[in-house]
Amino acid sequence: MKEYKLFIDGEWVSSSTETILDDINPATGEVWGRVHQASADDLERAIAAAYRARESWGNTLANEREAILLRAADELQKRIPEVAEVLIDEAGSTFGKAMFEASFVVNLLRSAAGECRRITGETIPSDSPGVFSMSVRRPLGVIAGIAPFNFPFLLATKKVALALAAGNTFILKPATYTPVTGLKIAEIFEAAGLPKGVLNVVPVQGSVLGNKFVADPRVRMITFTGSTEVGRELSAEAGKHFKRITLELGGKSPLIVLKDADVDYAVNAAAFGIFLHQGQVCMANSRLIVEAPIFDAFCDKLTTKISGFKVGDPHDPHTVIGPLIDRKQCAVLDRHVADAVAKGAKLLHGGKSDGAFYQPTILAGVTPDMVVFREESFGPAVSVIRAADSEEALRLANDSCYGLSSGLITNDLQKAFDLSLRLEAGMVHINDASIMDEPHVPFGGIKDSGMGREGGHHSMDEMTELKWITVQMGQRQFPF
């Protein structure tokens, strides 16, 4: 059985306390790897290494940073099957999702490489005579990232690659469930020739990490993807230290289907948007809000479609529904289903589990008083909600503390743009599912779904300091 060490200051090192935990395959429940866990001393070494490297890396020429990111992309291209296998065994990704995620990151790295040359300031007209005024962007220094388990390779690499492109050094804490995926990022950048100390990857238990990243003044920024509860705590602590933070948190994303939509297309979009990776996606369209005239037909067609989904071995390319990362989540789904049915919803399909595998589940006639309307299920369960018209659909969509992503299916372009501007979400996808991402877009949400944006030049803005510089040409005349 393979053992994985920490990556600190360009070296693979053992835990200073010799703490090693089992890494569990969620599909089988078996141990498939053992991972060293960072101690408080190991965290200090990682922060110190990143802090030492910050100045030299921050002054590295843009074309040199670009070359390393492009070499990392080429290295990953060769290792896509290897990374996909880790995503299947460690994260419970289905074969198709794992291959997509690994391939997406190749493009992400190349996109981040391009950002190295696009970190720009501006010249500013001055009201003072003889003054040349400009703004420049400079790296923050050390950034710490905390990644989630659902798209662990994609979302962690996005944080790492964009921070490096901006000239920052980085400390990555992979998700507790998926530490090896984070360590694969270190392997790829090591092979690409990244200087020592620029990237450090430290699997660590929350009880050991505590507020170390937030409280340490050497760490200038936290970038976090995870639950709203943890994000709220991090934000509060970061505020105490005036620390920059970006948060991509939970969601209860709506997909509005209006009466003029192609029902078959809408069903395909809805199924993809909720059942990808077993619904363990913050953008998942877990609330399907359907106009009354097509409600029944939509429910019938969606039930027929998912009844053919294969549930089981994630290595099988035909599997649609793989395991949940933790079988304890099945109890949460059971609670949501039971509450909805007790309050009048109709269970059209699923509602049962076998180990970590939960059947794709449809609840029709869900209303705002039901728990499943409000809370993230983070599993393969979807609510279908009837709306009298487009205005009620909009009201139901906005009736949530979350505001991450959303979708809207209609052939009425005027209505589509009108509703998209009024949807309370950081992202709106017209005639598509709510799940969508590209490396260069402003990814992020509003309300309890977080703050800040990740992707392209938007990350360059988040991960750099804007500085104003003036040059006095000739001698200024002072009043005294």
Side-chain angles (χ1 to χ4, degrees):
M1 184 175 297
K2 191 165 181 180
E3 189 172 290
Y4 297 87
K5 296 183 177 182
L6 314 173
F7 188 71
I8 299 175
D9 203 12
E11 303 291 338
W12 295 96
V13 298
S14 301
S15 165
S16 62
T17 56
E18 299 183 352
T19 303
I20 306 173
L21 297 183
D22 292 338
D23 199 9
I24 305 297
N25 181 323
T28 65
E30 298 175 352
V31 178
W32 73 276
R34 306 199 73 219
V35 182
H36 286 247
Q37 301 294 304
S39 66
D41 287 343
D42 296 324
L43 288 175
E44 169 57 32
R45 290 178 58 205
I47 294 172
Y51 191 72
R52 282 194 304 271
R54 80 195 189 289
E55 196 166 323
S56 60
W57 180 250
N59 290 319
T60 299
L61 295 176
N63 66 319
E64 294 175 1
R65 298 199 304 272
E66 177 188 65
I68 289 173
L69 286 161
L70 290 174
R71 287 200 297 271
D74 292 342
E75 179 68 20
L76 173 58
Q77 185 78 61
K78 296 182 293 186
R79 298 172 63 168
I80 284 176
E82 173 193 336
V83 171
E85 191 71 14
V86 173
L87 287 166
I88 293 169
D89 287 336
E90 183 179 53
S93 301
T94 59
F95 175 83
K97 182 263 189 186
M99 290 297 292
F100 161 79
E101 183 172 354
S103 299
F104 183 100
V105 175
V106 174
N107 190 37
L108 189 160
L109 288 164
R110 291 174 178 155
S111 176
E115 294 302 328
C116 296
R117 297 175 185 263
R118 291 196 288 268
I119 304 170
T120 59
E122 60 182 350
T123 57
I124 306 166
S126 177
D127 292 341
S128 301
V131 171
F132 184 83
S133 178
M134 74 190 93
S135 66
V136 298
R137 287 196 171 274
R138 294 292 297 158
L140 294 175
V142 180
I143 296 179
I146 301 173
F149 70 81
N150 54 349
F151 275 77
F153 192 63
L154 191 163
L155 294 174
T157 308
K158 181 185 286 190
K159 297 177 187 302
V160 171
L162 291 165
L164 299 188
N168 299 291
T169 57
F170 205 88
I171 307 160
L172 173 65
K173 180 212 172 294
T176 302
Y177 288 116
T178 54
V180 173
T181 305
L183 293 165
K184 287 294 173 184
I185 299 171
E187 289 181 10
I188 288 164
F189 274 104
E190 181 185 35
L194 188 69
K196 290 187 175 184
V198 175
L199 173 62
N200 304 272
V201 181
V202 284
V204 59
Q205 296 298 294
S207 58
V208 176
L209 176 61
N211 288 325
K212 179 66 174 172
F213 288 159
V214 178
D216 196 304
R218 293 169 295 180
V219 178
R220 293 290 310 282
M221 177 181 176
I222 308 292
T223 171
F224 171 79
T225 300
S227 72
T228 295
E229 292 72 23
V230 175
R232 184 175 286 112
E233 293 173 6
L234 280 172
S235 181
E237 289 300 315
K240 295 177 184 177
H241 299 275
F242 298 110
K243 184 153 298 186
R244 192 174 299 193
I245 189 168
T246 58
L247 301 168
E248 196 270 282
L249 308 176
K252 195 70 181 175
S253 298
L255 174 64
I256 295 175
V257 182
L258 298 186
K259 62 186 178 184
D260 69 325
D262 180 316
V263 176
D264 291 321
Y265 176 78
V267 164
N268 290 339
F272 171 79
I274 181 58
F275 296 116
L276 175 67
H277 197 41
Q278 299 76 260
Q280 299 173 122
V281 184
C282 52
M283 295 178 284
N285 43 230
S286 53
R287 292 185 299 148
L288 307 178
I289 303 171
V290 183
E291 259 194 294
I294 61 169
F295 182 86
D296 291 338
F298 180 90
C299 289
D300 290 344
K301 288 177 179 289
L302 182 63
T303 303
T304 299
K305 182 176 181 67
I306 74 162
S307 64
F309 283 178
K310 182 170 183 177
V311 180
D313 181 6
H315 287 89
D316 186 336
H318 298 102
T319 295
V320 176
I321 306 293
L324 295 172
I325 195 73
D326 189 335
R327 63 188 62 196
K328 293 177 183 176
Q329 190 66 18
C330 292
V332 174
L333 290 159
D334 287 341
R335 176 172 62 85
H336 286 186
V337 170
D339 175 80
V341 170
K343 292 175 180 175
K346 185 176 181 181
L347 180 62
L348 299 182
H349 192 276
K352 298 178 181 179
S353 62
D354 181 9
F357 295 87
Y358 205 91
Q359 293 292 320
T361 298
I362 305 173
L363 290 162
V366 169
T367 54
D369 63 313
M370 299 174 187
V371 173
V372 73
F373 184 94
R374 304 284 174 193
E375 294 183 8
E376 271 194 294
S377 301
F378 229 64
V382 66
S383 304
V384 192
I385 303 151
R386 187 190 301 266
D389 54 30
S390 61
E391 287 300 315
E392 185 182 27
L394 178 68
R395 180 182 62 77
L396 288 164
N398 288 340
D399 185 11
S400 174
C401 64
Y402 296 108
L404 184 57
S405 190
S406 60
L408 173 64
I409 299 181
T410 177
N411 288 310
D412 187 332
L413 189 60
Q414 182 170 326
K415 188 170 285 186
F417 273 102
D418 174 54
L419 294 177
S420 68
L421 292 172
R422 292 192 285 151
L423 271 166
E424 295 172 357
M427 300 174 284
V428 182
H429 304 295
I430 297 172
N431 289 332
D432 207 340
S434 62
I435 292 181
M436 174 73 74
D437 191 12
E438 294 184 5
H440 53 286
V441 302
F443 188 98
I446 62 173
K447 301 198 289 190
D448 283 2
S449 291
M451 59 184 181
R453 294 295 182 268
E454 282 188 338
H457 72 85
H458 312 283
S459 282
M460 298 304 99
D461 292 347
E462 298 276 5
M463 293 178 164
T464 55
E465 202 79 76
L466 189 62
K467 181 178 291 189
W468 180 38
I469 298 176
T470 66
V471 179
Q472 176 69 50
M473 295 178 289
Q475 293 189 345
R476 178 181 175 184
Q477 297 299 310
F478 297 100
F480 56 86

